[in-house]
Amino acid sequence: MSVLLRIGNWKAFLAAGQWTSASARLERTLNDATREWIQETGGPPIHERNQEKSVALEMARRFDGVIVQSLRPASRASERSFWAQRQMQLDFTAAPLSFAAKPVGGRPKKARGAAKNGASGKAAGR
């Protein structure tokens, strides 16, 4: 356990980046809110020494809770968990892009040097 949070009559603890509670509803709500907060804002600062406490402070503020106990985590599992949650979520279920017609004229022709344009080799940077 890293942080123990009390919201109303229920308690939840945050360890290794995940909330756990005897109330399945509170546990799901806290995990969802934490994930949304991290996606919206980036979550706790990366340089923060106790990221779990920062997360717990935000959840306490959002749900009118109180931090009962806080310990600095011994492992880096929570940092890895928050790092993974910060990654952008991409939706690959969307239909692929389609184009109605080919561009007119095909590929553009390459110029074969500055001499064709009337410039000398020195003026072209050669």
Side-chain angles (χ1 to χ4, degrees):
M1 171 195 71
S2 185
V3 179
L4 179 63
L5 178 69
R6 183 176 51 82
I7 298 175
N9 292 330
W10 293 99
K11 292 180 182 161
F13 63 90
L14 178 62
Q18 294 295 315
W19 289 99
T20 306
S21 176
S23 167
R25 181 177 170 204
L26 177 61
E27 182 177 318
R28 187 173 38 256
T29 302
L30 286 171
N31 282 317
D32 290 346
T34 300
R35 189 172 25 263
E36 289 171 10
W37 175 63
I38 290 173
Q39 288 293 313
E40 291 170 2
T41 66
I46 293 174
H47 59 80
E48 180 72 37
R49 298 199 75 179
N50 191 347
Q51 292 186 8
E52 288 187 343
K53 186 172 182 180
S54 296
V55 170
L57 285 169
E58 177 62 23
M59 295 303 115
R61 185 189 67 76
R62 287 184 178 208
F63 296 104
D64 197 30
V66 176
I67 294 179
V68 177
Q69 187 176 17
S70 175
L71 303 171
R72 189 159 181 253
S75 73
R76 298 180 86 56
S78 65
E79 290 178 20
R80 286 191 297 272
S81 173
F82 294 134
W83 183 260
Q85 291 181 45
R86 283 184 179 98
Q87 302 306 305
M88 184 183 298
Q89 303 294 320
L90 301 174
D91 181 17
F92 292 105
T93 61
L97 295 175
S98 62
F99 299 97
K102 287 185 171 181
V104 178
R107 296 173 71 180
K109 303 230 185 256
K110 292 183 181 178
R112 297 249 178 186
K116 283 193 168 191
N117 295 332
S120 68
K122 288 182 181 175
R126 292 183 186 177

